[in-house]
Amino acid sequence: MDPLAALLDGPRAHGAFLLRSVLTPPWSLRIEDEAPLTVVSVVRGEAWIVPDDGESVLLGEGDVAIARGPDPYLVADHPATPPQALILPGQECRTPDGGHLTAYADLGVRTWGTGGPVVLLTGTYGMEGEISKKLLAALPTLIVLRAADWPTPLVGLLAGEIGRDVPGQEAVLDRLLDLLLIAALRAWFDRPDTDAPAWYRAHDDPVVGQALRLLQHQPGEPWTVAKLAANTGVSRAALARRFATTVGETPMAYLAGWRLALAADLLRQQPDATIGAVAHQVGYGSAFALSAAFKREFGVSPQRYRTA
């Protein structure tokens, strides 16, 4: 599993927060939910996204924005419109002075707002996995993909499904949101003017990309540089040099970080698994070996990490 796919693995299966907002200007929502990642797409009309630290961006129909938390931002009909609603952690909604919100109402299945000509779709991921941090660290505060530059049917598909209330619909919406997010991130990373992380660009290298896939898909294997070199068809020295130049660290350093990131996610996702079982899944010979490496990396034992 590569880091881009791992971003959506696990927490997505439990249902991301999804909402359709139907609004009449003037409207303004201040987002302070501290979510790691939020996707906003415009189905009809337009909307401004106004980061506290950064330039305001106008979104048109079909445009998609990805906001990386936890910093707050404004979504509004105009940057100067005062906030009317405050979105807090857990998607709690209040007035800016902390009162009960009455201006915005439930308008149907996963639909909220005042009614009107503007329709937005919002999908919020609340995951905190260590694998996700590797990807999130590579993202700017705000990414925008214009419909004219990146035509996709996914916004329309999500808009068509979000209001349906039928068996299995949560899973359908999860998958559609996942597709929209991962396709948008891939399109953004593939832009020539984007400073994509080295581990993403490295997948295009025929040798290093193959080595990365082996490490990511088979972390439990007893990998050595020599074994990786044999599986990629180059010498040990050539692989070590090429990997370090392309990825920015040695194969074994990358593997160690990947194994610990996987272990951190497994500790959360498999609360009944023993430390030894987690250690075996990610390539450590014993619970003691994983615990020692884990504590060096995260400053706490695996058990304390899981409890916290």
Side-chain angles (χ1 to χ4, degrees), residues 8-17 170 174-175 268-269:
L8 301 174
D9 189 64
R12 67 182 172 90
H14 301 299
F17 175 79
E170 291 289 348
D174 280 347
R175 299 298 82 79
R268 289 193 180 104
Q269 296 167 12

Side-chain angles (χ1 to χ4, degrees), residues 4 7 35-39 49 51-55 57 64-73 132-145 181 184-191 193-197 199 201:
L4 192 55
L7 170 69
L37 202 66
T38 298
V39 182
I49 295 189
D52 278 12
D53 240 349
E55 294 184 7
V57 177
V64 175
I66 300 170
R68 175 177 58 79
D71 295 341
Y73 55 94
S132 304
K133 289 180 182 177
K134 187 178 183 70
L135 178 70
L136 292 172
L139 302 179
T141 303
L142 185 65
I143 293 170
V144 174
L145 291 133
L181 173 60
L185 287 176
R186 189 171 58 187
W188 185 78
F189 278 144
D190 285 341
R191 287 180 174 178
D193 58 338
T194 296
D195 186 19
W199 50 258
R201 297 285 189 207

Side-chain angles (χ1 to χ4, degrees), residues 95-133:
T95 60
D97 60 3
H100 181 66
L101 190 65
T102 57
Y104 293 79
D106 186 347
L107 301 178
V109 179
R110 302 182 193 87
T111 303
W112 176 85
T114 58
V118 178
V119 179
L120 308 179
L121 302 181
T122 304
T124 300
Y125 291 82
M127 71 294 189
E128 298 176 348
E130 293 301 328
I131 298 174
S132 304
K133 289 180 182 177

Side-chain angles (χ1 to χ4, degrees), residues 9 20 32 43 82 192 221 305 307:
D9 189 64
R20 174 172 53 193
E32 295 185 0
V43 178
E221 284 289 312
Y305 181 90
T307 302

